[in-house]
Amino acid sequence: MMGFGEVRPRRLRTTPAMRRMVSETSVEARSLVLPMFVAEGLTDPRPIASMPGVVQHTRDSARKAVAEAAELGLGGVMLFGVPEHKDATGSGALDEDGILNVAIRDARAEVGDALVVMSDLCLDEFTDHGHCGVLDAEGRVDNDATLEIYAEMAVAQARAGAHMLGPSGMMDGQVGVVRRALDDAGLVDTSVLAYAAKYASAFYGPFREAVSSSLQGDRRTYQQDPANGREALREVALDVAEGADVVMVKPAMGFLDVVAAVRAAVDVPVAAYNISGEYSMVEAAAAQGWIDRDAAIAETLLSIRRAGADIVLTYWAAEYAARLV
Ligand code: PBG
């Protein structure tokens, strides 16, 4: 017997209806964004072995997936291009007939404004060395030379029809340069989702397969050290000052403290990216029968929302939204 019977939190957990009524957080389709890979020169979608259930799309299958995402009421899609040919400067990123720009046009032709069409603004999918920028004579990632390319990429992606651009290369000044390039080109309505606090994470592993990356080494001279939380607030403040419309924390699960701190620090929408390795861990454990897959997915997305993310990029977006209807 408890000595003082009045205070019993369990009363609010007695029935499913009671729990539903007092639930503090929900995951809605409109908050979810589906990342998609569109590969050049494919005749059939190609499964990504390290991400069971995720594929590199053909142009055709990508169009269908974008249409389905719109029907499900998703907030948006985030498009990544996988070019057939890569080179040192990532020139495929600037080509208006390059795979990513073509995929953006396809997506807009398919769904118009029914959801937010976003595109990854980064060079790593396009460079033969796999870095997010171009290299200087010593082989280091050259910040300011990379910014010039990002500016041109931004205009190309916006002209192709992207509603929102996601600069993800963690170059200093990238948001400001992209914003100015868009404004100078008269593309004032194209918005910027800044990958503001992006960490050098081991959990990007499966993504490297997803974009057929040729990266040797790591990204620790531009992505953040996972040890640093305060530094994220500095990065976020800079991006907001440079004109970011939305700021993102990435990865999500190991960085929920950062999501919460960013949510408290800014008044723009906050996104979090539930990345490839987070997806693959749950899928792999579920495939072994070690965890309940559906419950683990729900708990993952709920945790990211509870930490304060308004928007969640997740490979489960379509599946989860389908559960809600
Ligand atoms: C860079 C980029 C990466 C991801 C999204 N944008 C890779 C990286 O920074 O190494 C990772 C996404 C994921 O792991 O799901 N263009």
Side-chain angles (χ1 to χ4, degrees):
M1 269 285 281
M2 285 176 63
F4 36 91
E6 299 80 13
V7 184
R8 287 179 180 266
R10 286 185 55 190
R11 284 187 196 116
L12 296 182
R13 302 176 198 142
T14 47
T15 68
M18 185 72 83
R19 293 193 293 273
R20 188 180 65 220
M21 187 181 75
V22 301
S23 164
E24 297 176 28
T25 311
S26 57
V27 180
E28 293 163 14
R30 69 180 179 93
S31 313
L32 301 178
V33 172
L34 179 67
M36 294 177 42
F37 306 103
V38 189
E40 194 171 29
L42 280 190
T43 45
D44 292 300
R46 179 195 294 152
I48 299 163
S50 56
M51 299 179 75
V54 180
V55 299
Q56 286 184 347
H57 281 288
T58 66
R59 283 182 63 184
D60 257 7
S61 71
R63 285 182 79 125
K64 290 194 191 97
V66 173
E68 189 195 297
E71 273 159 37
L72 288 165
L74 293 189
V77 292
M78 171 62 81
L79 301 174
F80 293 90
V82 184
E84 249 176 326
H85 305 289
K86 308 191 185 210
D87 59 29
T89 59
S91 57
L94 298 180
D95 180 354
E96 70 177 64
D97 295 320
I99 184 63
L100 180 52
N101 295 326
V102 163
I104 294 167
R105 278 203 294 277
D106 285 348
R108 285 301 305 282
E110 191 70 31
V111 295
D113 292 327
L115 49 61
V116 180
V117 174
M118 309 182 187
S119 52
D120 186 56
L121 202 169
C122 193
L123 282 175
D124 67 312
E125 294 95 357
F126 296 94
T127 51
D128 53 13
H129 45 74
H131 275 293
C132 295
V134 289
L135 307 182
D136 67 15
E138 277 81 51
R140 292 173 306 208
V141 174
D142 186 332
N143 195 87
D144 296 9
T146 300
L147 291 183
E148 287 174 29
I149 301 177
Y150 285 1
E152 276 186 66
M153 258 182 104
V155 172
Q157 293 183 358
R159 289 202 174 126
H163 294 104
M164 187 174 270
L165 310 184
S168 66
M170 287 298 280
M171 295 302 123
D172 290 337
Q174 63 184 9
V175 171
V177 162
V178 163
R179 182 69 270 156
R180 199 167 323 121
L182 292 170
D183 290 351
D184 288 349
L187 298 157
V188 295
D189 285 334
T190 307
S191 51
V192 176
L193 164 74
Y195 283 61
K198 179 173 178 183
Y199 288 89
S201 172
F203 294 91
Y204 299 140
F207 178 89
R208 306 276 156 87
E209 182 193 347
V211 298
S212 311
S213 170
S214 36
L215 181 72
Q216 308 284 328
D218 61 56
R219 307 196 196 287
R220 291 180 187 277
T221 68
Y222 43 106
Q223 296 180 348
Q224 286 182 250
D225 182 341
N228 298 353
R230 288 189 300 270
E231 188 186 35
L233 296 179
R234 198 167 161 232
E235 286 280 4
V236 164
L238 283 169
D239 284 359
V240 171
E242 289 174 30
D245 299 288
V246 179
V247 292
M248 182 147 75
V249 175
K250 178 183 176 185
M253 292 178 74
F255 299 84
L256 295 179
D257 57 327
V258 178
V259 173
V262 169
R263 175 63 291 164
V266 299
D267 50 18
V268 295
V270 174
Y273 199 141
N274 176 214
I275 62 162
S276 57
E278 300 171 335
Y279 173 91
S280 301
M281 273 195 297
V282 169
E283 292 291 344
Q288 296 284 336
W290 293 342
I291 58 173
D292 174 338
R293 181 176 179 276
D294 284 1
I297 292 170
E299 188 176 318
T300 299
L301 300 180
L302 200 60
S303 301
I304 298 168
R305 291 270 296 131
R306 191 197 63 242
D310 305 292
I311 301 163
V312 184
L313 278 71
T314 175
Y315 300 97
W316 291 304
E319 176 186 332
Y320 194 83
R323 274 195 222 174
L324 298 173
V325 292

